[in-house]
Amino acid sequence: SPSFLIALLEHGGRNLHIVIITQMLSREMHRAIAGRGFLYITVSDLRLDAKDIFRYYSSSGMKITKKDAETIAHFTEGWIIAVYLQMIVYRETGEFSSCAIIPLMDHLIWGRLTEGQQTFLLYLSPFETVTLRQACVLGRFETLPGYAMEALHSPFIRYDNASSCYEMHSILSELLARKRTERGALFERECLLRAGNFCRDNNKNAESLAFYWQAKHYEGILSLDFSSLIFDKVGDTAFSEVAQDIAQNCPAKIKNEYALSMLRIAWALKAAGMDMLFCDLLDELDLTLERDGMLRAEWQLLSSYRFFPDIDKMFPLLKEAAFLFGGNCSRVILPDAPWCFGDYSQIATFHRLPGEADREADRLEEFISFYSKLTGGHGSGADALFRAELAHYRGNLNEAEILAYKAIFLAQANGQSIVQIGAAMHLCEIAVEKADFEKWQNALNSMEHAAANLNSTTVRAVLDTLRGLLLNELDHHDRIPGWLKDMEQIKVLPPALRLNALFVHISFLMHKGEFTRVIGILQAIRESKNFCLLFCSQLNYILTAVCQIQTKERALAAVNLEHALEQGMPDGFVYLFAVYHESLKGLSEELISEKYPEHLSNYLEIKKRFMTGFDELHSALLPGSAYENLTEREREIALLAARGLKNSEIAKQLTVTENTVR
C-alpha cells in the first residue's frame, strides 16, 4: 500500500538505504511518493544508448563497431531484453536482423503464452499502446482476468505511469501482426473491426476509419463523419483512394442507407480530380434521392461543381441549391475544405478569356457572396484576392497590397487558409518590388501561421510549393523543399496542386540548365486535354520562350512570347514580362515597344523596381548575411526561415517558442 511504501522509505537512515524494485508502479503509488524527495528510477533511465550497448557487447567478448551499436539502439529502442536478443542473434548468425529476432521472440515469448493469452494480445495488436479499459473493451471483458493481466507483464510490454498506458515494443508488435495474419482473414478482420469500433465509440474518427479501411468495412466507414478527413490521408493512404474504392465497390444497399456520406464521397472524388467518377456517382445518387429536402440541396450544390471553375455555368445551379437549403448551411462542403482544392491563384483558376478579367472579378464577387453563405464561409476573401492579383499583375502595387490585406482579413475570419496563403504570397512578391526584407519575412511567417491553423496534407503541400516558388524567384533554388525536385512525387498530386508544383519543378530544372527538357515538358502540358487555363497558358509560353532564348532559338522564342502577350496584354498584365526581362534578354521589352507601346512605361517601372528588390533580398538571404536593424536573435530566425525551415523546426533548433519565432 502507499502508506507502507512511504513508511518503509522514510525509515531509511544514515546507515540504511532502502531500494524498492518493482516492474511497474501504479498511479496511486507514484502519486504517494511524488514530491517527497525520493529518487525514482523509471524505465527510460534503464534503457541503453549506443555507448552503453557498445560497452555491454565488449564486456561480453563481442567486437562490434560504434555504427553497429547505433543500429542496435535504433532497432531495440534501448530495451535491455531486446539488446540481449540481438546479441544471441549476432552470435548465431553474425548479423543484426529483425527477421532473425522474430523466430527467437516466437520461441522465448509467444510459445510460453497460453492460447487465451495469445488471443488476448492479438486483439490488442492493432494498437501500439492500450489502457486497461481499452484492453477490456477489445478483449470483451467486464474486468481483466488474471491470465490477461499476466500477459501484459511481458518484458516487451512496458507500463507508462504518466499516460496509464501499456506500450508494446516494436519487435512484439511485428510478431503479433504476423501471428494475426497466420490466423486467417476472418480473424484479422475481427481484430480490425474491434479496433475500429473502439475508436469510433471514443470519437476518434480518423483512427477508426483507418481500421475500417484495412478491413474493407464499407458500412463502418460510411457510418462515420469523415468530412474533415477528405483532404488528408487515412494512415498512409490518400482519402481519395478510399473514396474511389467505395464509389466503385460498395454495395448499392449500403450506399442508399448512407446518402449523406456518399455525397461526401462524391466531394472527395471532385477534390482529387476524378471528375468522371464524380459525375457518375452524382448521377447514381440522383436516382435515389427525393426531389426536395436537404440531401437534394446538397446534391444540387455539388452538381454545380460539374462546371467548376466556370462561374457563369455554376451560378444557376447554386441558386437552385440555395432555395432548397432554405437558409441552412451545407454539411458536405465545409469551411475548412481547401478553397479551389488547394490552388492559391484565383486568376489561374477563374480567368478564362483575354480582356475579360474585370468582368470576371465582378462575377466572382457576386458568386462568393452567394456561395459562402451556403457553405459557412467557404471561399471568403477569394474575390478580394482575385482583385489583388489583377492589381499586382498590372503593376499597381499600393492597390494590390491593400486588397491582399483585405483578402487576408476576410479569409482569417472564415478559416480560409488557402486564400490567406495566396494573399500572403502576393505580399511577399510586393515586398520584393519594394525591397523590403522585413515585410517579405512577415508575409512568409503569415503563410506558415495560416497553414498551422489547418495542418492537412493539402495545405502543407501548398505551403511547400509557395515557399519553393518564392525561393526560386530570389534565385535560392537549393533551398526549395526536396520533394519538389522529384517529378515522381509531383505526379501523384491532385490536379489543383500538381500544376503549381510543376512550375516550381520546372524553374528548378531551368536553374540546372536543362532547357531542352523543360521545353518538352511545357509542350506536353500545353497539349494535354485538360489544359485550358488562360493564365497558366500565358506563363507556359513565357517559360518556353525563356528556354528557347537559352538554346539560341530567338525566332521561336519571339513566336511563343507573342502568344503570351496576346493572352495577357488585353488585361494589362505586364508584371510577368517585366519579371522575366533578364531571362528573355530584352525580347519582352522589344515586343512590347513594338506591339503594345501604351504599356511600355509601366513595364519599365516594374522591371526597375523588381531588379532592385531582387538584388537586395537575394543578398539578405545569403548564409551569414545580416540585415540592418535586426537583433541578433531576429537575424538567427530570419536566416533559418530563409533556409526553408518551418516555425516549429526553428523553435526547436533555437530552444524558443513558436510564438517567439512568429
Side-chain angles (χ1 to χ4, degrees):
S1 69
S3 57
F4 172 74
L5 179 64
I6 292 168
L8 188 61
L9 292 172
E10 287 181 342
H11 280 78
R14 184 175 180 181
N15 299 315
L16 176 64
H17 297 277
I18 297 174
V19 177
I20 297 177
I21 300 175
T22 175
Q23 183 170 348
M24 63 187 67
L25 200 62
S26 69
R27 176 176 290 184
E28 185 182 12
M29 289 284 200
H30 185 270
R31 190 164 48 240
I33 67 170
R36 294 177 178 265
F38 302 128
L39 296 178
Y40 175 42
I41 300 174
T42 65
V43 173
S44 60
D45 295 314
L46 298 176
R47 292 190 183 190
L48 305 181
D49 60 20
K51 291 181 180 178
D52 296 327
I53 292 170
F54 184 81
R55 288 195 298 268
Y56 173 40
Y57 276 47
S58 297
S59 67
S60 301
M62 297 181 60
K63 293 183 179 180
I64 62 170
T65 66
K66 292 183 179 180
K67 187 175 180 180
D68 289 334
E70 290 171 358
T71 301
I72 298 167
H74 174 74
F75 181 72
T76 62
E77 301 171 20
W79 288 42
I80 295 172
I81 193 167
V83 173
Y84 174 69
L85 284 174
Q86 280 281 15
M87 181 186 290
I88 295 174
V89 171
Y90 188 74
R91 279 175 174 165
E92 292 183 1
T93 67
E95 295 179 353
F96 302 109
S97 169
S98 60
C99 295
I101 282 182
I102 294 300
L104 278 174
M105 286 283 293
D106 197 339
H107 173 68
L108 296 174
I109 305 296
W110 184 256
R112 298 179 182 180
L113 297 173
T114 66
E115 173 72 18
Q117 288 173 327
Q118 291 177 350
T119 302
F120 168 67
L121 289 178
L122 290 177
Y123 283 137
L124 307 188
S125 64
F127 297 94
E128 293 180 358
T129 62
V130 294
T131 64
L132 274 178
R133 186 182 74 84
Q134 186 176 354
C136 287
V137 172
L138 295 172
R140 294 185 178 169
F141 304 123
E142 287 294 327
T143 58
L144 214 58
Y147 74 85
M149 198 71 211
E150 185 181 342
L152 290 175
H153 288 177
S154 164
F156 282 82
I157 301 176
R158 79 177 186 93
Y159 182 74
D160 181 62
N161 282 292
S163 62
S164 299
C165 284
Y166 291 91
E167 177 188 351
M168 296 190 189
H169 191 282
S170 56
I171 299 173
L172 179 60
S173 292
E174 184 179 343
L175 174 66
L176 292 176
R178 294 189 185 193
K179 292 297 180 181
R180 196 174 67 217
T181 302
E182 288 174 8
R183 290 222 179 175
L186 287 178
F187 179 81
E188 182 160 30
R189 191 169 191 270
E190 174 63 20
C191 291
L192 294 170
L193 290 182
R194 290 191 186 192
N197 292 342
F198 177 83
C199 292
R200 177 202 61 200
D201 295 342
N202 287 274
N203 300 315
K204 296 180 179 179
N205 284 357
E207 293 89 338
S208 179
L209 197 152
F211 289 127
Y212 285 154
W213 166 241
Q214 289 182 68
K216 291 295 188 290
H217 183 35
Y218 297 129
E219 187 169 6
I221 294 172
L222 294 177
S223 70
L224 300 170
D225 180 358
F226 50 77
S227 51
S228 63
L229 306 174
I230 286 173
F231 295 88
D232 222 317
K233 287 188 173 184
V234 178
D236 295 326
T237 304
F239 185 86
S240 57
E241 186 177 330
V242 178
Q244 181 180 8
D245 182 55
I246 290 173
Q248 294 175 328
N249 299 312
C250 180
K253 182 176 181 298
I254 296 176
K255 287 182 179 179
N256 295 340
E257 189 175 345
Y258 295 96
L260 177 60
S261 290
M262 288 309 302
L263 289 164
R264 288 170 174 159
I265 292 293
W267 177 234
L269 295 172
K270 178 63 185 177
M274 302 180 192
D275 285 5
M276 186 175 295
L277 200 54
F278 164 72
C279 291
D280 288 345
L281 182 54
L282 284 183
D283 291 342
E284 182 182 341
L285 294 171
D286 185 25
L287 301 175
T288 61
L289 297 177
E290 296 181 4
R291 291 293 100 187
D292 54 16
M294 291 299 294
L295 290 178
R296 175 56 62 174
E298 300 281 11
W299 182 91
Q300 195 73 25
L301 174 61
L302 286 177
S303 291
S304 71
Y305 270 88
R306 293 177 190 259
F307 305 105
F308 179 84
D310 190 332
I311 297 296
D312 291 330
K313 291 183 178 179
M314 292 180 72
F315 221 152
L317 293 170
L318 189 67
K319 289 179 178 178
E320 291 179 32
F323 175 77
L324 293 170
F325 273 116
N328 294 306
C329 282
S330 174
R331 291 182 291 165
V332 175
I333 301 178
L334 303 180
D336 58 4
W339 171 245
C340 289
F341 312 113
D343 193 339
Y344 50 80
S345 173
Q346 305 309 294
I347 283 188
T349 303
F350 296 108
H351 179 40
R352 302 178 63 80
L353 296 170
E356 292 288 309
D358 289 308
R359 185 197 70 82
E360 290 164 342
D362 292 339
R363 191 62 167 158
L364 182 60
E365 184 176 346
E366 185 183 3
F367 176 86
I368 291 295
S369 174
F370 210 86
Y371 171 86
S372 62
K373 292 175 184 175
L374 301 183
T375 55
H378 192 230
S380 295
D383 49 341
L385 177 54
F386 187 97
R387 293 190 189 277
E389 292 178 26
L390 285 185
H392 187 200
Y393 292 134
R394 288 168 173 168
N396 303 327
L397 279 196
N398 288 335
E399 182 185 353
E401 190 170 7
I402 291 169
L403 287 165
Y405 280 119
K406 178 181 178 181
I408 288 174
F409 178 82
L410 293 170
Q412 281 181 326
N414 293 278
Q416 297 304 289
S417 294
I418 296 300
V419 175
Q420 188 179 344
I421 290 171
M425 185 272 287
H426 277 276
L427 289 178
C428 279
E429 295 195 320
I430 291 168
V432 173
E433 292 186 69
K434 290 188 172 184
D436 192 329
F437 179 79
E438 187 175 355
K439 278 193 174 181
W440 188 91
Q441 190 64 61
N442 287 340
L444 193 66
N445 288 343
S446 173
M447 289 165 52
E448 177 76 36
H449 183 67
N453 293 337
L454 187 62
N455 195 19
S456 71
T457 304
T458 298
V459 173
R460 296 309 304 185
V462 170
L463 185 65
D464 276 356
T465 301
L466 273 175
R467 189 185 284 115
L469 183 151
L470 293 169
L471 291 170
N472 260 331
E473 184 178 79
L474 293 174
D475 209 17
H476 285 278
H477 311 273
D478 55 319
R479 300 180 184 178
I480 70 172
W483 68 269
L484 287 165
K485 301 175 185 179
D486 183 357
M487 183 67 85
E488 293 304 312
Q489 294 193 56
I490 292 172
K491 283 179 182 178
V492 301
L493 292 172
L497 303 180
R498 193 184 309 137
L499 268 180
N500 292 324
L502 260 177
F503 170 65
V504 177
H505 182 74
I506 286 169
S507 299
F508 174 70
L509 293 178
M510 290 168 65
H511 172 71
K512 290 173 62 180
E514 299 191 35
F515 300 109
T516 304
R517 180 182 175 186
V518 170
I519 291 171
I521 293 172
L522 290 169
Q523 286 181 356
I525 293 172
R526 196 160 59 239
E527 292 168 5
S528 64
K529 293 180 181 179
N530 297 324
F531 189 75
C532 58
L533 303 173
L534 183 61
F535 188 77
C536 294
S537 176
Q538 179 189 345
L539 183 57
N540 187 301
Y541 280 123
I542 291 173
L543 294 177
T544 301
V546 168
C547 292
Q548 288 170 333
I549 289 287
Q550 296 296 325
T551 57
K552 311 301 182 185
E553 298 173 296
R554 190 177 177 86
L556 288 175
V559 171
N560 281 299
L561 199 56
E562 283 190 37
H563 286 317
L565 287 165
E566 288 167 3
Q567 292 177 336
M569 298 314 285
D571 291 292
F573 293 166
V574 183
Y575 174 81
L576 288 178
F577 301 101
V579 165
Y580 283 99
H581 168 86
E582 192 170 332
S583 299
L584 289 165
K585 306 297 184 186
L587 181 60
S588 51
E589 184 174 334
E590 179 184 318
L591 290 175
I592 289 174
S593 299
E594 178 186 341
K595 297 180 178 293
Y596 304 95
E598 67 276 17
H599 293 291
L600 182 59
S601 62
N602 193 20
Y603 172 93
L604 295 174
E605 182 183 348
I606 296 171
K607 179 190 75 171
K608 180 181 178 181
R609 68 191 182 207
F610 177 81
M611 292 179 73
T612 301
F614 170 88
D615 289 340
E616 187 159 340
L617 267 72
H618 174 78
S619 299
L621 289 171
L622 288 172
S625 63
Y627 190 78
E628 191 177 2
N629 298 326
L630 290 182
T631 67
E632 186 63 33
R633 177 46 58 91
E634 287 169 341
R635 279 197 293 272
E636 281 185 300
I637 291 173
L639 290 170
L640 290 173
R643 282 168 46 194
L645 270 68
K646 300 171 185 175
N647 280 2
S648 57
E649 294 168 337
I650 296 172
K652 184 177 181 180
Q653 185 162 328
L654 298 181
T655 320
V656 296
T657 67
E658 285 194 54
N659 283 336
T660 299
V661 175
R662 291 194 188 104

